[in-house]
Amino acid sequence: MGLNGSISDQIGSLTKLTILDLSHNQLTGPIPHQIGSLTKLTHLDLFENQLTGPIPHQIGSLTKLIHLDLSGNQLTDPLPYQIGTLTELTYLHVSSNELTGVIPSSLGRLTKFTHLDLSNNQLNGSIPHQIGTLTELTYLDISGNELTGAMPSSLGCLTKLILLDLCKNQINGSIPPEMGNIKNLVTLDLSDNLISGEIPSNLKNLKKLGRLDLSYNRLSGNIPSFITNNCKQTIINLSQNDHLEGYAGYSICTRGHTTSLTLIISLSLTLFFVTLILGFAFGLWRKKRQLQPESMAAKKNGDLFSIWYYDGRIAFEDIISATEDFDIRYCIGVGGYGSVYRAQLPSGKVVAVKKLHRSEIDEPTYLRSFKNEVQMLRQIRHRNIVKLHGYCLHNRYMFLISMYMERGSLYCMLSDEIEAVELDWVKRVNIVKNMAHALSYMHHDCNPPIIHRDISSNNVLLDSKLEGFVSDFGTARLLDPDSSNQTLVAGTYGYIAPELAYTMVVTEKCDVYSFGVVALETMIGKHPGELITTL
C-alpha cells in the first residue's frame, strides 16, 4: 500500500509547486538535492517513510518554507547549517531519525518557530544558547538524544512554551532558575539526565504546570514546599534522585477517573538491595508457577499468548510487575470492555495495558471484541492510530499492550475547563486533521477497508504534544465487497449514523458521520446534542 521506490531526481522540475506531501509511504533512498529547486514550496512533508542519507544542504534554498516534517525516516548525518536560512519556518519536525552532530546554532535565526521537534536522534554536544532567541516557540522537544553540558539560562526567554521535553539525554549542571519565567509551561520533562543541585524555588511561578518529571537525575536538597502545595493538580515524578529529602501525596484526574498516586522518593541503598533481591526471587517463583512466555507467539492448550518485543525489552513478567498484578493504584480508566492501566517497564518506557476483568473473560461478547481489536491493530500501521505492542490471551489473563497517551481522551480534556483552555483553535483543527488522516488510511489505504464503527471523543486519545490518535477497535469491521455487510448496531449513543439504525448496513459513511460529530464537538467544546437540549 502506498508509494515505494525512490524520489525521482526529476522532482526538481516542479518549480511552481507550493505544497509537497509524500508522507505515510514506503519511499526509500536519499532525498534528492534537486528538491532545492522548488523555491516556491511552503509545506514539505516526507515523514513516515524509509528515506536514508543526509538532509541535503540545498534545502536551505526553500526560503518560503513554513512547514517541514521529515520525521520517522532513517536520515543520517548532522542537520545542515543552511537550515538557518529558512527564516519563514514555523514548524520543524525531524524526530525518530538517525541524525548526528550538534544542534546548529543557525536555528537561532528562525525567530518565527512555534514548533521544534528534534527528538529520538543521536544529536550530541550542548543545547546552543541561541535557542533563547526563538521566543515564539510553544513546543520544544529534544528528548532521546546524546546531549551533554548544562541547560542554557536562555531557555527562560521562551516564555510562550507549553511543552519542554529534554528527557533521556546526558545533560548535567543545575536547573536554571530562569526556567521559572516560562509561565505558560504545561509539561516540563527533564527526566533521565545527569542534572544535579537543588530544585529552584522559581519553578513555583509555573502556575499552569500539569506535568513535572525530574526523575532519574542527581538532584539533592529538600523538596520545595510549592511542589507539595501544587501536587493536587500536577503530575509530579521525582523518583530516583537519591539525595532528595521529603515526601508528599497527590491525586490526578486522567480520562475522567480520579486515581490516588504517591510521589515516590528513593529510599536508602539498603532498602533498594532488599527490594531487588525480593523482586528477583518473586520473578523466579512466578516463572515456575505460571507461563513460560516467548518473545513472539506460542500456543498451549488452546490459549494464545503473544507479547512481542518493545525496544527489545517487553515481557509478560514486566507487565505483571509494573502493575503489581493489576493493582487498582495503576488504573487510569475503564474502557468499553475492560480497565486500562499505566505500566512503566524496566527500560523506563511507559505503556497502556487494557485488561479484561475476570468476569468478562468468560463472556463471549467481550472475548470477540478483544480478539477483534488484536486482529485489527496487528495489521494497521499509521501515525494517528494507537500502536499495539502486544497482547496476552490466556485463561488467567487477557490484556492488550499499546502506546501510552499522556493527555488522556479528547472527551476528558474538552470536559475540563482548565485543560480545555490549552486547546486553542490551531490545536483543535490539528486534532480533527489527525482523525481525518487515520480514517482516510483505514477506508482507502487498507484492503479490505476497515470501518471503526465507534468513533467518539472518548476514543480519540491525545499524546503529550496534543496529537490525536484513534483507539479502541473492539467493534471494528472489515468491509467485505462480496458481502451485504449487514451488522448489529454498534457504537456510542450520539455518534451513530441514523441510517445504520434502520438499514443495519455498515459502510465508510458510518465513520464519516461519527467523525463529523466529533469534529463539531471539538470545535465548540461540547457534544452538539447538548446544544439541542438547552434550546
Side-chain angles (χ1 to χ4, degrees), residues 130-417:
Q130 290 89 345
I131 209 161
T133 63
L134 308 179
T135 54
E136 296 299 312
L137 269 183
T138 57
Y139 289 87
L140 176 58
D141 190 347
I142 322 180
S143 61
N145 282 287
E146 301 170 8
L147 299 175
T148 57
M151 288 178 281
S153 59
S154 59
L155 284 172
C157 299
L158 307 181
T159 55
K160 294 186 179 180
L161 269 186
I162 294 173
L163 178 142
L164 175 58
D165 193 344
L166 305 180
C167 75
K168 294 181 175 61
N169 282 287
Q170 300 171 38
I171 297 169
N172 54 40
S174 58
I175 300 174
E178 290 83 1
M179 298 278 277
N181 299 334
I182 316 176
K183 296 183 179 180
N184 289 310
L185 207 57
V186 174
T187 298
L188 175 59
D189 192 343
L190 306 179
S191 63
D192 205 354
N193 279 288
L194 305 173
I195 301 170
S196 57
E198 298 186 352
I199 300 174
S201 60
N202 284 17
L203 294 188
K204 67 183 179 183
N205 297 328
L206 307 182
K207 304 296 185 183
K208 297 182 180 180
L209 202 61
R211 177 171 175 260
L212 173 64
D213 195 340
L214 304 179
S215 62
Y216 290 88
N217 278 292
R218 299 176 178 177
L219 296 171
S220 58
N222 292 318
I223 298 174
S225 58
F226 74 86
I227 286 185
T228 305
N229 296 335
N230 290 341
C231 62
K232 291 188 180 297
Q233 60 265 14
T234 306
I235 304 174
I236 301 171
N237 190 354
L238 306 181
S239 64
Q240 304 303 318
N241 283 281
D242 291 338
H243 300 291
L244 272 179
E245 300 176 5
Y247 177 89
Y250 62 98
S251 62
I252 172 181
C253 174
T254 305
R255 297 185 196 179
H257 294 267
T258 300
T259 306
S260 294
L261 302 176
T262 301
L263 182 61
I264 307 169
I265 307 301
S266 298
L267 300 177
S268 66
L269 193 61
T270 303
L271 182 58
F272 170 76
F273 280 113
V274 169
T275 305
L276 186 64
I277 293 170
L278 289 175
F280 181 73
F282 179 75
L284 289 177
W285 175 82
R286 184 177 288 278
K287 276 190 176 181
K288 291 180 180 179
R289 293 276 307 216
Q290 296 185 346
L291 302 168
Q292 301 293 328
E294 300 176 8
S295 61
M296 292 301 289
K299 285 189 177 181
K300 184 178 181 181
N301 300 326
D303 294 324
L304 182 61
F305 186 89
S306 178
I307 299 180
W308 50 90
Y309 283 129
Y310 178 60
D311 287 352
R313 293 187 177 91
I314 199 167
F316 176 80
E317 290 89 349
D318 292 339
I319 299 298
I320 302 301
S321 177
T323 59
E324 297 185 32
D325 205 3
F326 297 100
D327 190 279
I328 189 64
R329 291 179 298 155
Y330 298 92
C331 182
I332 56 175
V334 179
Y337 59 90
S339 297
V340 183
Y341 297 80
R342 181 185 186 275
Q344 183 167 2
L345 303 176
S347 64
K349 298 289 185 181
V350 177
V351 294
V353 184
K354 182 192 290 186
K355 176 182 178 292
L356 265 69
H357 303 302
R358 181 70 186 176
S359 59
E360 294 168 344
I361 291 177
D362 300 324
E363 177 61 46
T365 301
Y366 291 119
L367 183 59
R368 282 196 300 270
S369 293
F370 179 93
K371 290 181 176 179
N372 193 65
E373 185 158 14
V374 170
Q375 177 190 358
M376 294 298 171
L377 290 178
R378 287 190 70 176
Q379 62 183 294
I380 57 181
R381 293 288 185 272
H382 189 272
R383 179 190 181 111
N384 297 116
I385 295 177
V386 170
K387 183 179 180 181
L388 180 70
H389 297 311
Y391 62 92
C392 171
L393 177 54
H394 186 259
N395 59 5
R396 286 195 61 194
Y397 292 103
M398 286 177 59
F399 57 81
L400 301 171
I401 310 165
S402 59
M403 59 193 296
Y404 177 68
M405 297 286 108
E406 293 88 341
R407 304 306 297 270
S409 72
L410 174 62
Y411 172 81
C412 185
M413 195 157 190
L414 289 172
S415 302
D416 189 299
E417 292 183 1

Side-chain angles (χ1 to χ4, degrees), residues 504-523:
M504 309 295 280
V505 176
V506 62
T507 69
E508 296 97 329
K509 295 178 181 179
C510 299
D511 283 351
V512 173
Y513 178 91
S514 303
F515 164 79
V517 176
V518 178
L520 190 57
E521 182 179 359
T522 305
M523 295 301 107

Side-chain angles (χ1 to χ4, degrees), residues 5-32:
S6 59
I7 301 175
S8 171
D9 295 347
Q10 299 301 313
I11 200 168
S13 62
L14 306 176
T15 54
K16 295 185 178 180
L17 206 61
T18 59
I19 297 176
L20 176 59
D21 187 349
L22 299 176
S23 58
H24 294 301
N25 284 294
Q26 300 170 25
L27 298 173
T28 57
I31 300 173

Side-chain angles (χ1 to χ4, degrees), residues 412-527:
C412 185
M413 195 157 190
L414 289 172
S415 302
D416 189 299
E417 292 183 1
I418 297 176
E419 290 195 339
V421 174
E422 187 181 344
L423 286 176
D424 59 25
W425 184 254
V426 174
K427 296 184 186 70
R428 295 187 188 216
V429 170
N430 188 56
I431 291 170
V432 173
K433 287 171 61 179
N434 297 153
M435 293 167 52
H437 287 313
L439 290 176
S440 176
Y441 166 80
M442 291 160 54
H443 293 173
H444 303 294
D445 295 336
C446 294
N447 187 21
I450 296 174
I451 312 302
H452 188 280
R453 296 208 299 163
D454 194 13
I455 296 295
S456 70
S457 57
N458 261 319
N459 290 334
V460 176
L461 304 182
L462 307 176
D463 66 4
S464 60
K465 302 180 183 68
L466 296 178
E467 291 282 315
F469 293 77
V470 175
S471 70
D472 203 337
F473 283 73
T475 60
R477 280 277 303 268
L478 296 174
L479 196 61
D480 187 351
D482 299 321
S483 168
S484 64
N485 290 299
Q486 284 197 319
T487 181
L488 296 176
V489 175
T492 302
Y493 179 75
Y495 299 89
I496 302 172
E499 62 267 27
L500 178 61
Y502 59 83
T503 65
M504 309 295 280
V505 176
V506 62
T507 69
E508 296 97 329
K509 295 178 181 179
C510 299
D511 283 351
V512 173
Y513 178 91
S514 303
F515 164 79
V517 176
V518 178
L520 190 57
E521 182 179 359
T522 305
M523 295 301 107
I524 65 178
K526 59 179 67 177
H527 191 282

